[in-house]
Amino acid sequence: MKQQTCLRARVGGWRPDGSSWVQIKDNGVGLAERLERAAQTVKQVYSECPSYDELIPALLKHGLWDLPQHCKFKPSVPIKPMLAKPTNGISEVLEKFKDQEFTCEYKYDGERAQIHLMDGGKKIMIFSRNSENMTPKYPDIVARLPGCLAPGVDSCVLDGEAVGWDPEHKKILPFQAKEGEVEFALAKTSRDIEELETFLNEAVDASTEGLIVKTLVDAYDPSKRSSHWLKLKKDYLEGVGDTFDVVPIGAWHGKGKRTGLYGAYLLAIYDADSETYQTISKLGTGFSEEKLAELTELLRPHVIPAPRRYYQWGETQEPDVWFAPVKVWEVKCADLSISPVHRAAQGLVDESKGISIRFPRLVRVREDKSPEDATSAHQVAEMYRMQAVERVLILMVLVFQDRHNVVWHHYYYYYYY
DNA sequence: TTATTCTGCCC
DNA sequence: ATTATGT
DNA sequence: ACATAATGGGCAGAATAA
């Protein structure tokens, strides 16, 4: 956040004649103290109203110390949404929220949607996680929202997740009994490990990503805590989740702090039928700086001038250097997808497209495996089929009034495309 | 005009 | 997104 | 605890090439 820069510009400045001014009254406190308070004020105001278009005119008109009275949280100005921190398991959740009430909700795999109702209920805007205006993307939400509001509600901000849904197959969906457009979220409040474990499994079986864990009493206050919710996904658990044994067949030169090292690798699985290495993804995370340097040195001797004839990769995935197939690495992912560029299991699930993996990261180097022992194309295809499920389009909605008087309503709002 | 590549956003 | 790292 | 900086797949729309 840039509030420090902002502060300097507001509390002081230079007149055209070159003299400087400071817009702070001396209340008997030191300058450092006053600056600290000023910073706090601006930070607080900015967190509720993160818009320079709002802040600057208000500052010029009313001054710094009256800013909180004139620049408040309101529909039309998107705030930074609460985020969630990755968590290793239910025991870690219990540990972190030892003295707090909390609830767990399904973590739907969609797009964050912050919905603003304003102008006496006449106007709706929808913002993304990064406060981009997504309103044109969701005409159906805009159309349906008025019918989902309690009578008299003409101003609110809703925070939720928009998720895909195939209406043809809604019978297989866990929410099918819930025909209405607005329902309470599927959530569980419990401190029982087994019960929560079961709930996590149900969430995964329902083809969601896992659970979001939220304290029940804390205010929605992104100024103080950027990640005060917790997220619990199956693939965070050690020894759980999809892993692959893959072969690095190429690499790109690293940038910034990875200058001089390979910064990312091109990974392939092995198809014994065609005796080819087929690209499944790139890899750029999961290694410490030390490991990264080590891997660079390990692979450098295996650079070859041109790709092997039996490599299959996408034209847009041309690495800076190619390797002979010598190493096997274990990588973990969250999901598999049909890929426009990668070639793993090409022809097995889709005639022309291969399969790729979502959120790949290194788990460990497999010294015990040879490249021919890498995950096979058939295994990849089978894993894809296992996870292929119909998708839902849902909006999880959190209603809140203001940061000191928070009203939590968790809804799901269903819509179709 | 259309096809391809690039960019910037989502996760 | 994930992960590692530095303040 | 938090912010920053490396990096991932995929998609849509913009920019560019043909």
Side-chain angles (χ1 to χ4, degrees):
Chain A
M1 206 180 296
K2 307 290 191 296
Q3 63 267 35
Q4 295 228 325
T5 311
C6 178
L7 171 65
R8 264 196 284 277
R10 301 310 156 239
V11 300
W14 290 267
R15 299 187 186 89
D17 65 5
S19 63
S20 63
W21 57 272
V22 179
Q23 186 210 11
I24 295 180
K25 295 191 196 104
D26 189 340
N27 296 326
V29 238
L31 178 64
E33 171 90 2
R34 279 174 282 138
L35 282 171
E36 182 54 36
R37 287 182 195 176
Q40 280 306 117
T41 299
V42 174
K43 189 175 179 180
Q44 183 58 59
V45 170
Y46 185 83
S47 73
E48 283 190 32
C49 186
S51 160
Y52 293 131
D53 287 345
E54 297 280 336
L55 273 179
I56 290 167
L59 267 166
L60 293 174
K61 193 164 177 194
H62 304 105
L64 173 69
W65 302 109
D66 288 331
L67 195 57
Q69 275 67 56
H70 296 95
C71 222
K72 288 175 169 303
F73 168 73
K74 64 173 185 187
S76 81
V77 180
I79 60 167
K80 293 211 276 181
M82 293 274 277
L83 302 175
K85 233 187 235 175
T87 289
N88 275 326
I90 288 160
S91 50
E92 189 186 341
V93 169
L94 291 171
E95 208 173 291
K96 285 228 163 81
F97 286 167
K98 199 174 352 172
D99 304 313
Q100 294 167 80
E101 270 193 292
F102 64 85
T103 191
C104 303
E105 299 176 343
Y106 279 14
K107 183 180 189 304
Y108 294 92
D109 182 12
E111 292 180 349
R112 199 70 177 261
Q114 191 179 103
I115 306 173
H116 291 230
L117 179 72
M118 63 194 95
D119 292 356
K122 288 199 287 287
K123 189 179 179 190
I124 293 166
M125 291 185 80
I126 303 176
F127 298 98
S128 73
R129 172 188 161 140
N130 294 315
S131 301
E132 298 285 326
N133 181 9
M134 297 280 119
T135 313
K137 187 173 174 177
Y138 299 112
D140 38 5
I141 291 185
V142 173
R144 283 162 178 268
L145 186 69
C148 302
L149 297 166
V153 174
D154 63 358
S155 167
C156 66
V157 174
L158 316 171
D159 182 14
E161 181 90 0
V163 186
W165 176 5
D166 177 1
E168 296 296 316
H169 300 86
K170 60 181 177 177
K171 277 182 184 153
I172 66 164
L173 298 172
F175 311 110
Q176 186 241 336
K178 298 169 186 156
E179 267 300 302
E181 290 180 341
V182 179
E183 299 286 345
F184 278 103
L186 196 38
K188 179 169 294 266
T189 304
S190 164
R191 308 193 78 92
D192 181 84
I193 288 218
E194 281 186 32
E195 204 173 349
L196 292 176
E197 224 137 59
T198 304
F199 194 58
L200 172 60
N201 286 330
E202 288 168 1
V204 172
D205 289 345
S207 78
T208 70
E209 293 185 324
L211 299 176
I212 292 279
V213 188
K214 303 171 178 177
T215 54
L216 285 169
V217 291
D218 279 352
Y220 194 109
D221 186 354
S223 71
K224 289 202 177 69
R225 317 178 176 100
S226 55
S227 301
H228 209 241
W229 294 344
L230 303 178
K231 55 181 163 183
L232 189 47
K233 293 171 68 171
K234 264 259 149 110
D235 58 285
Y236 294 161
L237 310 185
E238 201 170 336
V240 182
D242 291 334
T243 62
F244 299 81
D245 296 319
V246 298
V247 182
I249 61 168
W252 286 263
H253 301 305
K255 296 177 176 175
K257 64 185 181 185
R258 293 189 183 175
T259 301
L261 306 172
Y262 297 135
Y265 291 88
L266 183 61
L267 306 178
I269 53 108
Y270 183 65
D271 180 38
D273 293 351
S274 58
E275 295 184 313
T276 57
Y277 287 89
Q278 305 172 329
T279 252
I280 191 166
S281 80
K282 297 202 286 180
L283 177 71
T285 192
F287 15 62
S288 62
E289 287 180 358
E290 186 189 13
K291 197 74 189 169
L292 199 67
E294 184 188 324
L295 294 176
T296 299
E297 294 317 313
L298 265 171
L299 266 305
R300 219 192 281 282
H302 299 286
V303 169
I304 52 179
R308 295 270 139 93
R309 287 193 320 282
Y310 46 88
Y311 285 178
Q312 298 183 348
W313 74 99
E315 309 299 327
T316 60
Q317 306 282 301
E318 194 90 13
D320 295 334
V321 296
W322 292 97
F323 302 129
V326 287
K327 300 291 177 187
V328 179
W329 296 348
E330 182 178 334
V331 297
K332 192 180 252 198
C333 70
D335 238 332
L336 292 83
S337 57
I338 299 288
S339 173
V341 294
H342 290 290
R343 300 292 174 83
Q346 187 175 28
L348 296 184
V349 170
D350 183 286
E351 203 46 53
S352 62
K353 291 175 175 172
I355 286 169
S356 185
I357 54 180
R358 188 150 81 132
F359 312 146
R361 62 267 198 185
L362 180 71
V363 176
R364 62 184 169 134
V365 173
R366 293 294 302 254
E367 304 287 4
D368 56 318
K369 282 205 163 192
S370 64
E372 291 81 10
D373 302 324
T375 301
S376 72
H378 288 286
Q379 285 175 300
V380 172
E382 191 47 34
M383 290 168 87
Y384 178 82
R385 291 192 195 100
M386 289 295 288
Q387 61 130 47
V389 199
E390 303 304 329
R391 295 281 160 155
V392 190
L393 189 49
I394 302 170
L395 173 61
M396 182 191 78
V397 174
L398 162 67
V399 184
F400 60 95
Q401 291 183 327
D402 66 50
R403 56 179 290 274
H404 297 298
N405 183 21
V406 177
V407 180
W408 299 76
H409 297 283
H410 300 247
Y411 295 113
Y412 292 127
Y413 167 79
Y414 295 58
Y415 77 98
Y416 307 85
Y417 40 42

